[in-house]
Amino acid sequence: MVAGSSLGASSSSPKSCQPYHVFLSFRGSDTRKNFTDHLYQALTWAGIRTYRDNDEIERGDDIVLAINKAIAESRLSLIVFSPNFASSSYCLDEVVKIMECKENNVHTVVPIFYNVSPSQVSEESGTYVKALRRHGNVERVDKWWQALKKITDLGGMVCSCFRHEAGFIQEIVKKVDRRLKRIKRPVPSYVIGIESHIEAINKWVAYESSDVDVAIISGVGGVGKTIIANIVFNMNIETFDVWSFLQDVDETSKQQDGLVNLQRSLVYDISKGALVDYKGIDLEHVTCNKRALVVLDNVDTWGQLLGILSKPQYLHKGSKIIITTRCKELLKKPYGGACKTFWINGLGKDHALELFSWHAFDKPNPDEGYVGYSEQVVQHCSGLPLALELLGLCLSDKDMQLWEVAAQEPETIDGSTRIRRTLQISYDSLDERDKILFLYIACFYIGREKDSVVKMLQSKFGYRPLGIQELISRSLISIGGSNRLTMHQLIRDMGREIVLLRSIQSIEDPGEQSRLWRYNDAIRVLKRDTVRNISSIAFSDSFGSQ
């Protein structure tokens, strides 16, 4: 399910010179603002061009003709049967037209039963028959009734068979994909607060260029870069001649012959399987006169990029390359034509609470009695979608006692430690000097003025000023107002946990730690004279001054 979306919310479907994949028939007053809107968005972000009419109340001849044309040109129709569907003559006329198309050509029909059962639609004692009789016109009623019986004979999908509406919508999308035999990248059940990013990147993709343009989607780990790339890929592949999506380049490149295998995959995709093996083949010949959409997901270094596609100009003019990376300064050197960077921030407070609530409560807001706890957990996540999703799932259907623990220490319920492992990838990519620099900042210098921190670390430890820039490039720190160092709360916690885990004893005995940033730990160590490995201690008074 895709909730909280503004994309595709206009009164008609996006204009396109290509036929629609799907015609969506529904009763507006029943489902327009909830189920159908979520279904439409899920189909759209899966790259399925869907016709949805929002002007059901006042229809003229032109609208009816346009709808009939859309049905005839679509490959598949989804009919959302809901309690008041049969009270609309327009909806019933659409059913008749859909069945005519099915009988006359290869048009596919998938019935969806939302808050009604198939028997209510097709049996003479059902609620639909009573609604049909109220229309009065015997000839039209009989035609509608015959069409309804034929459709229910096809089977269909029943919402009540699924525990969560989101799961139901995802199954519909999967079924449509199977029927259409389409290539699709996965999109999660709940996608919140990224509509503006999708829209901006889609505009960049649509811009006609005489060169091979490159876009960087950058942000901290877990912020949703790959999800955005998947959606953009789904929505745009059919406007290109060829395409390729190379997933998790950083991880694959570390395997034996990793970069060679990635390059082979690129050649295979671009040649549409004609060239199975890559033996120094010039991509320029493979992509002759073919516009390509290429996505390189999770690229970490300049060397990885060159190892896969050393010259973007090997692709045909008008091609687009999208790169997702934690390193915002990946392209320090010229690469391709115009380069555009899209920086992905964490979610705002309202969107963060909505995403968390969908995973924890299967609805856009918390249950009564859980609002305060939810807000505390959400605040800890600082807008990071991965953390909101995992903590929401961990707390779903759990008792109040666990919620109380989570509100105070949310990190303790992430049993899989997936959040920390995802964030730590950026840390692990640093050299040893920059790792130490990061740990010092995480423990002591968040909120301090950057230049004074650089000067102090240089004089005491000989750290290079470029180290700060490297941490910024890796999205581990940022520079806030008044030139002060800022850090995502979860990244800070990850850094401090690294310090603790470097010595198992340090969890019980702070004297074993290399850095002490908690007042009580520092006092305990100094009173007991148990200083052994400590290189730095920070004290804060009641006003927070260090």
Side-chain angles (χ1 to χ4, degrees):
M1 171 188 276
V2 182
S5 170
S6 62
L7 287 180
S10 60
S11 62
S12 60
S13 299
K15 292 181 180 179
S16 173
C17 60
Q18 300 171 313
Y20 294 99
H21 291 122
V22 169
F23 179 86
L24 186 55
S25 177
F26 63 98
R27 181 70 166 106
S29 59
D30 279 353
T31 65
R32 179 189 290 113
K33 294 183 179 180
N34 42 67
F35 176 78
T36 298
D37 185 55
H38 300 154
L39 174 59
Y40 174 79
Q41 193 63 76
L43 292 165
T44 301
W45 281 359
I48 299 169
R49 292 189 303 280
T50 304
Y51 185 97
R52 172 187 63 169
D53 171 52
N54 275 352
D55 297 323
E56 181 184 311
I57 297 174
E58 296 181 7
R59 288 186 176 179
D61 292 339
D62 290 344
I63 295 294
V64 173
L65 288 173
I67 287 173
N68 287 340
K69 184 174 183 289
I71 293 172
E73 292 180 349
S74 298
R75 294 172 57 188
L76 180 147
S77 285
L78 291 174
I79 306 176
V80 181
F81 290 117
S82 56
N84 296 303
F85 186 93
S87 64
S88 168
S89 60
Y90 297 117
C91 291
L92 295 167
D93 285 340
E94 287 176 5
V95 170
V96 172
K97 178 65 178 178
I98 288 168
M99 290 309 293
E100 287 176 1
C101 290
K102 182 185 186 313
E103 292 168 0
N104 293 332
N105 54 39
V106 291
H107 192 82
T108 302
V109 182
V110 177
I112 298 168
F113 300 93
Y114 184 77
N115 291 339
V116 293
S117 65
S119 62
Q120 287 177 285
V121 175
S122 62
E123 293 181 2
E124 294 191 15
S125 59
T127 55
Y128 270 42
V129 169
K130 297 175 183 177
L132 290 177
R133 287 172 181 160
R134 286 195 287 269
H135 288 286
N137 188 317
V138 177
E139 185 178 344
R140 291 183 76 191
V141 167
D142 184 62
K143 188 181 291 187
W144 293 334
W145 176 237
Q146 295 304 320
L148 288 172
K149 287 198 294 184
K150 288 178 181 178
I151 283 183
T152 51
D153 287 342
L154 299 174
M157 303 181 70
V158 183
C159 183
S160 59
C161 295
F162 292 80
R163 182 183 175 193
H164 298 302
E165 189 175 290
F168 183 47
I169 287 176
Q170 288 302 305
E171 286 304 312
I172 294 171
V173 174
K174 288 178 185 176
K175 186 164 191 171
V176 170
D177 268 321
R178 288 195 297 269
R179 296 289 182 90
L180 297 177
K181 298 180 180 179
R182 295 182 65 257
I183 297 171
K184 182 180 80 73
R185 297 291 306 166
V187 177
S189 299
Y190 306 105
V191 181
I192 309 292
I194 62 173
E195 296 85 357
S196 60
H197 296 305
I198 303 291
E199 187 174 356
I201 300 171
N202 278 339
K203 285 181 179 178
W204 173 84
V205 172
Y207 177 76
E208 294 183 7
S209 171
S210 59
D211 209 332
V212 178
D213 292 342
V214 181
I216 296 286
I217 301 177
S218 184
V220 68
V223 80
K225 302 181 296 294
T226 299
I227 291 172
I228 291 172
N230 284 347
I231 293 171
V232 170
F233 184 80
N234 289 340
M235 295 179 74
N236 290 282
I237 55 173
E238 293 186 17
T239 64
F240 289 83
D241 302 311
V242 291
W243 51 83
S244 179
F245 193 111
L246 301 185
Q247 186 172 356
D248 205 349
V249 168
D250 183 47
E251 182 64 29
T252 305
S253 67
K254 294 172 183 175
Q255 300 169 8
Q256 185 175 1
D257 297 325
L259 284 176
V260 174
N261 290 331
L262 286 166
Q263 204 172 50
R264 284 175 175 161
S265 296
L266 178 62
V267 172
Y268 181 88
D269 292 342
I270 297 299
S271 69
K272 294 197 170 181
L275 299 172
V276 178
D277 197 13
Y278 178 82
K279 295 179 180 178
I281 297 167
D282 193 337
L283 272 174
E284 194 170 11
H285 299 300
V286 176
T287 62
C288 182
N289 298 322
K290 294 177 182 177
R291 291 176 63 249
L293 175 62
V294 175
V295 178
L296 306 177
D297 173 53
N298 192 25
V299 178
D300 190 59
T301 67
W302 175 251
Q304 291 171 357
L305 189 58
L306 295 185
I308 298 169
L309 185 58
S310 59
K311 292 183 180 180
Q313 287 77 11
Y314 285 159
L315 302 178
H316 187 63
K317 65 181 182 180
S319 295
K320 303 282 184 175
I321 300 173
I322 297 173
I323 302 167
T324 71
T325 179
R326 291 175 170 85
C327 183
K328 66 172 72 172
E329 294 185 5
L330 179 71
L331 297 186
K332 294 180 180 179
K333 303 174 185 177
Y335 186 79
C339 181
K340 176 79 172 176
T341 298
F342 298 94
W343 175 254
I344 311 302
N345 291 310
L347 299 178
K349 179 180 177 182
D350 291 343
H351 280 144
L353 183 60
E354 183 181 354
L355 179 60
F356 174 80
S357 297
W358 277 115
H359 287 288
F361 306 103
D362 195 35
K363 62 180 186 176
N365 41 61
D367 285 345
E368 186 177 350
Y370 290 84
V371 176
Y373 294 133
S374 297
E375 289 177 343
Q376 285 178 271
V377 174
V378 167
Q379 183 179 6
H380 177 82
C381 294
S382 300
L384 192 69
L386 174 66
L388 293 162
E389 173 190 340
L390 293 180
L391 294 180
L393 290 172
C394 287
L395 289 167
S396 181
D397 296 327
K398 296 300 188 295
D399 58 34
M400 187 65 78
Q401 187 176 2
L402 185 60
W403 276 88
E404 291 172 354
V405 172
Q408 298 303 316
E409 297 180 281
E411 65 278 1
T412 61
I413 66 168
D414 177 25
S416 67
T417 69
R418 184 180 163 193
I419 298 171
R420 183 177 64 79
R421 286 187 286 110
T422 299
L423 294 173
Q424 193 169 329
I425 292 171
S426 294
Y427 168 82
D428 291 338
S429 69
L430 300 171
D431 67 25
E432 287 305 315
R433 291 176 302 172
D434 292 336
K435 284 180 179 178
I436 295 171
L437 174 61
F438 167 76
L439 295 178
Y440 269 110
I441 294 174
C443 293
F444 304 118
Y445 298 122
I446 297 172
R448 302 288 290 273
E449 201 272 330
K450 185 193 81 169
D451 294 337
S452 65
V453 171
V454 170
K455 191 177 297 183
M456 180 165 43
L457 291 175
Q458 270 186 296
S459 63
K460 289 188 176 182
F461 305 105
Y463 288 129
R464 55 187 187 133
L466 286 176
I468 294 279
Q469 193 56 44
E470 182 64 18
L471 298 184
I472 294 172
S473 174
R474 294 285 172 186
S475 306
L476 289 168
I477 64 172
S478 57
I479 307 300
S482 302
N483 201 36
R484 294 184 179 276
L485 298 175
T486 63
M487 184 179 291
H488 193 290
Q489 185 174 337
L490 291 173
I491 294 177
R492 181 206 67 187
D493 293 347
M494 179 266 293
R496 293 179 176 183
E497 187 175 355
I498 289 171
V499 172
L500 290 171
L501 293 178
R502 283 192 167 182
S503 171
I504 299 299
Q505 278 183 287
S506 67
I507 298 173
E508 295 297 328
D509 182 4
E512 292 290 338
Q513 291 175 213
S514 59
R515 301 161 184 84
L516 292 176
W517 61 90
R518 291 182 292 213
Y519 178 82
N520 289 338
D521 286 346
I523 293 298
R524 200 167 95 200
V525 167
L526 292 173
K527 279 184 175 180
R528 295 179 181 177
D529 193 21
T530 56
V531 177
R532 285 182 288 277
N533 297 322
I534 296 171
S535 62
S536 299
I537 298 177
F539 286 98
S540 296
D541 59 26
S542 58
F543 298 100
S545 300
Q546 290 190 341

